[in-house]
Amino acid sequence: MTHAVSAADTRRPHPLEVALLASVFVVAACGLLYELAAGAIASYVLGDSVLQFSTVIGSYLFAMGVGSWLSRYFERQLPAHFLRIELLVALAGGLLPVALFLANAWAPGAFRVVLYGLVLLVGTLVGLEIPLVMRILRRNVRLRELVSQVLTFDYLGALAVSLAFPLLLVPQLGLVRTGLLFGFMNALVAVWALWLFRHELRAFAAHAAACALTLALLAAGWAFADRITTLAEDKLYADRVVFAQSTPYQRIVVTHAPGEGRPGYRLFLNGNLQFAERDEYRYHEALVHPAMAAHGAPRKVAVLGGGDGMAVREILKYPSVEQVTLVELDPAMTALFAHDPALAALNGHALASPKVRVVNTDAFKWLESGDEVFDVIVVDFPDPTNFSIGKLYTLSFYALLEKRLAASGYAVVQTTSPLVARRSFWTVVQTVEAAGLTATPYHAHVPSFGEWGFVIASHRPWRLPAGLPAGLRYLTPATLGLLFDFPADMARVPAEVNRLSNQVLVHTYETEWGRVHQ
């Protein structure tokens, strides 16, 4: 039995149709890239990645809707309008990371205005693109095929960039050059449109000049990308930036200010200070030794976070230690502090010790997936500025920690400032206790941070150790006990348990530290 095949089923795609559908793929990829870049930079600068991505994506989608609605007013010369919009998207989207980094450095008070202004502008322009392409394609393609083909290429472009952005683009190019690269792609779509519709464009020379100027501006941005980033970061950081890298997890910046009384090397993650060479010994001695010395003879120790190796340096001062497992999410951190001569010297080349095993993975997953028990566990995460870090301060996390802690062992958690973020500090204490552990809070003065808090978590009560390792610069047996005395302005206050389901700590932390920066 035979059947007839319609001409519509066997027709070959028109070259114009193929070109425009390829443009849809590029347009969709570029549009999503600008959205992801804005969300990533907002989370770097403002913290709370869930809130920033949510508001940026919501604003962007709203603006796309506005752009789609406005497309109805473009009736004639559709190829010319499409070309101009591509050039505008190339400039606004391609230079978006540059503008945001410079705004954060030179006009931090206006950062949100610049952020959402650019998000709304780029979103509106991107919202105009697809309706115009569909109306141009309608000349050659039936409506049913038109919609399915355009949406297919649109979604494929979005999929490609959503995978490439965290895995390839940001680690290899950084946010500034990633934005510029996709700006180039939008501009090349405009050049393609210039060629495809050369016989329809009334002002071909003017459009060609606009394409050339746009490409030249983006090329200049690419050539000076490192200088632009340095300019922004030199303004943001008081001292000379000696290392800067964007990883899939964070922005790592190291500055250097040599000289007596100067901070020396300082490490910043996503703009937040992690240590200053001048006084980091106070922080790391206070973090490590109350738990290590109280144990007496710890053999197996785990460090969660602390990829700079400073805590490991202090742990290795105990001859009884046979194995240190350092669990650090970002391999770029451990590589930097293991191989950079100046930074490795700060941690006494601790990461090169044969006793140290580095595991680059998420600490939450690492606790879940194993059953190895440790005498001491040092938890040295950044402060809970967003939900992805906040999960590491939850009841669920401490319940996992409890299972990996020996019956006679001690865990210690860095716990923000009990003076500035008093309720946040006691929220961590309350959460540790809710996990069935005895919580012993204490604090130390670190000039770069002010009063800083810690909590020892254990199955048995903590006891003041009889002695400490030789050669410490801050702690002594006589002064150690003073760290556990809380004055009235840091004394315990009622606090909730921080759970994965509510992440109350993140909200409390933002509120308390927000008052400081107002």
Side-chain angles (χ1 to χ4, degrees):
M1 181 177 179
T2 61
H3 63 277
V5 179
S6 67
D9 293 330
T10 60
R11 74 172 185 87
R12 294 182 177 179
H14 191 279
L16 176 64
E17 177 186 342
V18 174
L20 287 174
L21 287 175
S23 298
V24 169
F25 180 90
V26 175
V27 163
C30 293
L32 182 60
L33 185 282
Y34 304 139
E35 185 179 352
L36 292 173
I41 296 171
S43 66
Y44 285 176
V45 173
L46 302 174
D48 192 351
S49 57
V50 174
L51 175 63
Q52 304 313 326
F53 270 99
S54 179
T55 54
V56 165
I57 291 172
S59 301
Y60 193 85
L61 292 175
F62 166 76
M64 287 182 65
V66 172
S68 296
W69 180 79
L70 290 174
S71 67
R72 68 176 65 188
Y73 297 103
F74 292 80
E75 298 178 356
R76 299 179 180 179
Q77 289 291 305
L78 296 183
H81 289 311
F82 176 71
L83 188 154
R84 296 181 198 119
I85 289 168
E86 285 304 297
L87 293 178
L88 289 173
V89 174
L91 288 173
L95 295 174
L96 181 145
V98 172
L100 291 180
F101 279 125
L102 291 176
N104 182 49
W106 293 85
F111 178 81
R112 282 185 171 87
V113 175
V114 176
L115 169 67
Y116 288 102
L118 285 173
V119 166
L120 292 173
L121 172 61
V122 174
T124 301
L125 293 171
V126 171
L128 285 165
E129 291 173 312
I130 300 301
L132 290 181
V133 170
M134 292 181 71
R135 288 166 64 185
I136 295 170
L137 277 169
R138 196 167 57 186
R139 304 169 180 176
N140 301 293
V141 184
R142 292 187 308 173
L143 180 61
R144 184 185 65 182
E145 295 177 357
L146 172 64
V147 173
S148 65
Q149 290 178 355
V150 168
L151 292 181
T152 296
F153 280 85
D154 183 60
Y155 295 148
L156 287 174
L159 173 64
V161 81
S162 65
L163 295 175
F165 181 78
L167 300 177
L168 178 64
L169 295 170
V170 174
Q172 297 299 322
L173 297 178
L175 281 166
V176 169
R177 280 203 167 100
T178 294
L180 291 167
L181 173 64
F182 279 73
F184 272 117
M185 292 169 65
N186 269 125
L188 291 176
V189 169
V191 173
W192 197 345
L194 178 72
W195 174 254
L196 288 174
F197 301 107
R198 59 192 181 279
H199 301 302
E200 298 183 41
L201 296 173
R202 295 177 179 174
F204 179 85
H207 286 103
C211 290
L213 179 60
T214 300
L215 288 169
L217 288 172
L218 293 170
W222 185 277
F224 291 100
D226 291 334
R227 292 189 183 182
I228 292 169
T229 304
T230 301
L231 176 66
E233 291 186 330
D234 283 348
K235 179 67 176 179
L236 185 62
Y237 304 104
D239 307 320
R240 184 171 64 94
V241 175
V242 295
F243 177 86
Q245 180 182 358
S246 293
T247 77
Y249 309 104
Q250 58 200 346
R251 176 70 175 172
I252 304 172
V253 173
V254 178
T255 66
H256 188 221
E260 187 176 354
R262 303 294 299 280
Y265 287 98
R266 292 198 292 177
L267 170 67
F268 296 84
L269 299 181
N270 295 340
N272 298 310
L273 178 65
Q274 303 302 303
F275 75 74
E277 180 184 1
R278 174 179 55 193
D279 55 21
E280 58 81 15
Y281 67 92
R282 279 180 161 249
Y283 172 89
H284 291 102
E285 287 184 14
L287 172 69
V288 170
H289 295 295
M292 289 287 292
H295 186 281
R299 295 187 305 109
K300 294 176 62 178
V301 182
V303 180
L304 311 184
D308 53 41
M310 307 297 185
V312 176
R313 176 195 66 201
E314 299 300 317
I315 290 166
L316 292 176
K317 292 178 179 179
Y318 292 81
S320 63
V321 172
E322 298 173 0
Q323 174 190 315
V324 182
T325 302
L326 173 61
V327 182
E328 163 63 48
L329 176 63
D330 194 344
M333 274 288 293
T334 49
L336 175 64
F337 282 87
H339 302 303
D340 183 277
L343 299 179
L346 291 182
N347 62 40
H349 302 278
L351 300 185
S353 169
K355 294 182 179 181
V356 176
R357 176 171 64 105
V358 177
V359 180
N360 293 122
T361 190
D362 179 86
F364 203 109
K365 294 180 180 177
W366 180 80
L367 287 175
E368 282 183 316
S369 60
D371 55 9
E372 190 176 7
V373 174
F374 295 88
D375 299 314
V376 174
I377 302 177
V378 177
V379 182
D380 189 19
F381 297 130
D383 276 7
T385 54
N386 57 59
F387 294 127
S388 61
I389 301 176
K391 74 176 184 179
L392 304 174
Y393 290 82
T394 59
L395 177 62
S396 300
F397 182 85
Y398 296 135
L400 293 171
L401 190 73
E402 185 270 337
K403 294 178 180 178
R404 305 293 294 274
L405 189 63
S408 60
Y410 294 105
V412 59
V413 182
Q414 91 79 14
T415 323
T416 196
S417 170
L419 181 62
V420 176
R422 185 176 177 184
R423 190 173 299 278
S424 298
F425 176 83
W426 293 106
T427 294
V428 177
V429 174
Q430 183 75 23
T431 306
V432 167
E433 292 174 342
L437 293 163
T438 298
T440 308
Y442 64 102
H443 62 97
H445 184 73
V446 183
S448 292
F449 298 119
E451 285 296 325
W452 212 254
F454 310 87
V455 178
I456 293 175
S458 56
H459 295 111
R460 57 171 175 157
W462 179 83
R463 295 176 298 177
L464 189 67
L468 293 167
L472 299 189
R473 300 168 61 189
Y474 172 51
L475 292 181
T476 67
T479 60
L480 178 58
L482 301 177
L483 304 185
F484 295 82
D485 180 39
F486 281 80
D489 59 355
M490 294 192 293
R492 187 162 190 163
V493 293
E496 295 182 53
V497 174
N498 186 44
R499 305 177 188 275
L500 276 175
S501 58
N502 61 25
Q503 291 264 22
V504 65
L505 178 60
V506 174
H507 301 295
T508 305
Y509 179 91
E510 285 190 337
T511 299
E512 291 182 314
W513 278 99
R515 296 191 192 114
V516 177
H517 300 296
Q518 287 177 352

